[in-house]
Amino acid sequence: MSGIDPTPADLFDSPDLNLADADLRYLPAWLDRATADHWLERLVSETPWQQPEVVLYGRRHPVPRLTAWYGDTDARYRYSGMTHQPLPWTPLLAEIRQRLVEMLGCPLNGALLNYYRDGQDSMGWHSDGERELGDEPLVVSLSLGGERRFDLRRKGHNRIEHSLTLAHGSLLVMGGQTQHHWQHQVAKTRKPCAPRLNLTFRLIRAPL
C-alpha cells in the first residue's frame, strides 16, 4: 500500500479484495471480542454525537446516522459541504490511533466516527477523495457492533462489483488509488441488525 511500511503477508485476510485500481486490505478479527465489546460500549456512551444536515434541492435533510470528528488541532476536514472542527482526542481514541499507527507505520491525525443506530441508518455512495486527504487518501476503518454490508462499485457505473460484510472488531484499510476509481456505501437494510459504530481514521495531508 502506497505510503505504508510493509506488513506481514498473513496479517490481512484479503483474497477477495484484489480489485483493479484499488488497494484494499481486510482483517476480519483485528480485535478480540472482549476488547471490541468494551470499546463499543465506551465510545457510544462517551461521544458527543451530532446529526448534521445537508441541503438537497434547496431542502435541509438530517444525515441518516450520528457523527463526530476527532483529530489533531489543525486537522479540519471538509465533506458534504461542511467544514468540521476536530474534537480533542479522548484517551481511548488516542490509544486506538497509536495501535494503528504502530501497525501501519503511517501517521493518522483524524478520525470520523459514524454511529448506525439501526438498519435505516446508512451511508450513500461516495469516495473519500477530499483535497485535504492528498493524492492517495488513506482511510483506516474499524467496525464495532452489528455487521453491515459494505458495497463497492466503479466510478461511473451503477453495478455493485464487490460486497464485504464488516464484522465486529474488523479492520479495513483503503489506500493508493482506491478513492480515485471506486465508490463505496453502507446501504439501508430491512434486516434486523444491532447498532454499529464505524471509526475511520485518516491522514489529513493538507489542512484547511
Side-chain angles (χ1 to χ4, degrees):
M1 179 169 296
S2 178
I4 301 178
D5 291 342
T7 50
D10 59 353
L11 177 61
F12 285 87
D13 176 20
S14 54
D16 298 326
L17 295 181
N18 295 320
L19 303 179
D21 303 313
D23 195 345
L24 302 169
R25 301 179 185 181
Y26 180 57
L27 185 63
W30 185 65
L31 288 178
D32 62 86
R33 183 60 182 254
T35 302
D37 288 347
H38 177 64
W39 285 5
L40 175 63
E41 181 181 3
R42 281 189 56 186
L43 290 167
V44 170
S45 63
E46 294 176 0
T47 302
W49 297 108
Q50 296 183 342
Q51 189 171 19
E53 293 183 335
V54 295
V55 178
L56 296 173
Y57 306 107
R59 300 185 62 181
R60 303 184 70 88
H61 301 271
V63 299
R65 61 193 174 278
L66 304 181
T67 70
W69 171 248
Y70 288 86
D72 294 351
T73 55
D74 62 345
R76 293 179 297 277
Y77 187 37
R78 182 174 177 82
Y79 68 93
S80 298
M82 297 173 286
T83 299
H84 299 263
Q85 300 291 338
L87 296 166
W89 295 105
T90 66
L92 177 54
L93 286 173
E95 175 190 341
I96 299 171
R97 176 176 69 155
Q98 187 59 33
R99 287 182 59 168
L100 292 170
V101 166
E102 291 175 358
M103 182 187 73
L104 298 171
C106 181
L108 299 166
N109 57 7
L112 178 63
L113 277 60
N114 285 296
Y115 186 47
Y116 301 83
R117 297 159 293 183
D118 55 34
Q120 292 307 294
D121 276 359
S122 63
M123 175 79 77
W125 285 111
H126 72 288
S127 296
D128 296 307
E130 291 80 14
R131 180 188 64 82
E132 56 266 36
L133 297 180
D135 293 333
E136 295 191 337
L138 175 64
V139 180
V140 184
S141 175
L142 171 62
S143 293
L144 300 172
E147 295 184 346
R148 292 292 292 269
R149 196 185 75 196
F150 181 84
D151 300 321
L152 290 149
R153 73 179 183 186
R154 274 271 189 183
K155 282 189 175 180
H157 296 259
N158 293 323
R159 181 176 66 88
I160 295 173
E161 188 152 335
H162 188 82
S163 293
L164 181 68
T165 299
L166 298 177
H168 182 40
S170 67
L171 194 69
L172 174 67
V173 181
M174 297 184 285
Q177 293 292 304
T178 305
Q179 307 301 329
H180 293 276
H181 300 284
W182 293 86
Q183 293 181 316
H184 51 274
Q185 72 164 357
V186 176
K188 296 181 185 298
T189 178
R190 294 182 179 179
K191 295 180 180 179
C193 58
R196 171 182 180 253
L197 173 59
N198 181 225
L199 300 83
T200 53
F201 288 81
R202 299 153 193 256
L203 175 59
I204 304 296
R205 302 177 189 270
L208 296 174

